[in-house]
Amino acid sequence: MMTRSIFYALGAAALFGASTPLAKVLGLNISPVLLAGLLYLGSGLGLTVSRLIRDRGWQPVGLTASEWPWLIGAIVFGGVLGPVSLMFGLTLTSGTTASLLLYLEAVLTALLAWMVFKENADRRIVMGMIAIVAGGVMLGWPQTSAQINGWVGPSAVAIACLCWAVDNNLTRKVSASDALFIAGIKGLVAGVVNCTLGIALGMHLPEWPLLGPTLLVGFLGYGVSLVLFVLALRGLGTARTGAYFSTAPFLGAAVSIVFLGEAVSWVFWVAAGLMGIGVWIHLTESHSHEHQHDPQTHDHPHVHDEHHQHEHAFEWEASEPHSHVHEHAPLRHSHPHFPDIHHRHQH
């Protein structure tokens, strides 16, 4: 389960990181506001269509009444406040400075997970996070003596990072639910908000030969990426998923090197080494102690392991994994585990 979740997290980072050089290949010459809106819109539309095809029509989401406030909060912070704050900050901040500041998202995500949502973090996880973020900072550090014009722009970018950090932690609360729906609705809201803002500011949509590929890049780099991110949250928790996802700029740079033939500097290799060390530290983590599982009711794909010993109120063909609303009885035991959807307990 952990290996699959790590694959999801790194896959999400790879797709998101590749979206920037892919947008560059398209030669888009539109404002950041409208570009963000189109990428998010491509994500929302693509995932919604995918879900309709998968379910052969519109099916109930399956969120419980207690989960809707978490999802709405995630949409507001991640789909509305975060993008708008970032776009405002970009108008007053250089691109290199903004790229560097975006690493605050990983740090703030972890801090909120550890301090507010009480997710477990041992010394190895903190060390791994520091190594990954240090590599990212090196990769995004301005190579020229560009100056920061005032504090308003950088502050707006930092606020955007805080909004996305809140979004990541709130999304964790509903990560057991349908990942396609969660990612799709967030993409639709963010796309509509940013596109409306861009058009209101007098910007124009690109012609279809560029519009179509842009929406496709958004579907892959923002939509499929977010689905994988939500799946990773199920098995790794917020802080660890955020750490793996913060390798996105490195993976994006690797795509630029391989497919665009961009030159490689020594900074790239040092950053790659630091990120590799951080990922290795996380991969070799082992966390085990006696813990208590409280009663819980939710719906997600599962097999009948030690955490899913329950009866079925319907005829079951013994196929696994399968998905349905099920209850967890109280359970106390000890085994290696991570802050997944079944191990969100105090230490």
Side-chain angles (χ1 to χ4, degrees), residues 150-172:
W151 56 269
V152 177
S155 296
V157 176
I159 290 173
C161 292
L162 177 60
C163 289
W164 284 319
V166 173
D167 168 25
N168 293 337
N169 279 278
L170 295 182
T171 300
R172 178 202 185 209

Side-chain angles (χ1 to χ4, degrees), residues 17-60:
S19 64
T20 298
L22 286 176
K24 182 177 180 180
V25 169
L26 292 174
L28 293 172
N29 188 24
I30 57 179
S31 75
V33 177
L34 191 55
L35 177 58
L38 292 175
L39 292 173
Y40 275 118
L41 194 61
S43 162
L45 292 175
L47 294 179
T48 300
V49 171
S50 299
R51 184 169 181 265
L52 290 173
I53 294 174
R54 182 199 65 184
D55 297 340
R56 298 180 181 179
W58 185 261
Q59 298 294 330

Side-chain angles (χ1 to χ4, degrees), residues 80-93:
V80 179
L81 299 180
V84 170
S85 182
L86 175 64
M87 296 310 138
F88 174 73
L90 286 175
T91 63
L92 301 173
T93 311

Side-chain angles (χ1 to χ4, degrees), residues 78-124:
V80 179
L81 299 180
V84 170
S85 182
L86 175 64
M87 296 310 138
F88 174 73
L90 286 175
T91 63
L92 301 173
T93 311
S94 68
T96 50
T97 299
S99 297
L100 184 62
L101 288 171
L102 286 176
Y103 283 98
L104 282 173
E105 180 185 348
V107 177
L108 293 173
T109 294
L111 289 177
L112 286 177
W114 298 335
M115 300 176 67
V116 178
F117 293 89
K118 306 302 180 184
E119 184 175 300
N120 167 257
D122 56 28
R123 184 178 300 176
R124 290 184 64 84

